[in-house]
Amino acid sequence: MEIDLDRRLVVRNAALLGAAIAAPVLSVWAQSEKKSDAADKEPEVTATEDLMREHGVIRRALLVYSETVPKLRQNSSAVDGDALRQTAQLFRTFGEDYHERMLEEQHIFPLIRKQGTELEHYADVLTAQHQRGREVTDYILAVTQSGKVSSIHAEPLARVFEGFVRMYANHAAREDTIVFPAWKKNYSDKHLDEISDQFEDIEHKMFGKDGFEDAEKRIASIEGMLGLGDLAQFTPPAPPKP
Ligand SMILES: [Fe+2]
Ligand SMILES: [Fe+2]
């Protein structure tokens, strides 16, 4: 009986010792597995996060436009028309053709239209604003065709930029805070996961690669061309003492 008990203790202690030795080894192994997984795979981006980071690229294009307004009024011949043209081209392919047309107009707006009259109204106004935006992009592309902005177009373009930036800042802010959260309520987390995969498929079909990463690189390069690359320049001076 005593021998049995001793044997059981020996076996149990050996098992515990084994586990104690094995546990850290296993945990290190699991961590290195995790690390190599993370290195291979991009972290998962949810469908709404995806839409919102696309707004980030769109907002940076709008900042290019608003930073150009005073320059157009001071000395339009010094404005880099080619950089504006590249911004409008990025807005067209990434903002209008992909984000607005393929995602919002196909997937988001049809669903929120069924969620009450207020959201239905949002879908109508947001769609009309997409359309106005496309007219604006046509105009920007037309007046920057030569790579310069002629003095005749300087003030009208400045006004178009001001109106467009004002509209789109409100547009994207309402989508982020009202429309996307309402749309998201239609789905379980699992279903949202599947939709974010669908969005990724659309992105790959349209751009043949990661459309977001490419768009981010393109806007960063435009900012560099215009001297807008350094974020610190936008920190204002401290406010006066009251
Ligand atoms: Fe939109
Ligand atoms: Fe949007």
Side-chain angles (χ1 to χ4, degrees), residues 51 55 58 99-100 104 130 168 171-172 175 180:
L51 290 157
H55 278 175
I58 288 171
H99 175 86
E100 294 176 0
E104 291 179 343
H130 287 174
Y168 222 106
H171 180 106
E175 287 180 340
F180 298 160

Side-chain angles (χ1 to χ4, degrees), residues 72-73 75-77 143 148-157:
L72 281 168
R73 291 194 170 127
N75 178 14
S76 65
S77 63
V143 299
K148 290 257 169 212
V149 180
S150 83
S151 56
I152 312 166
H153 297 306
E155 181 54 31
L157 182 60

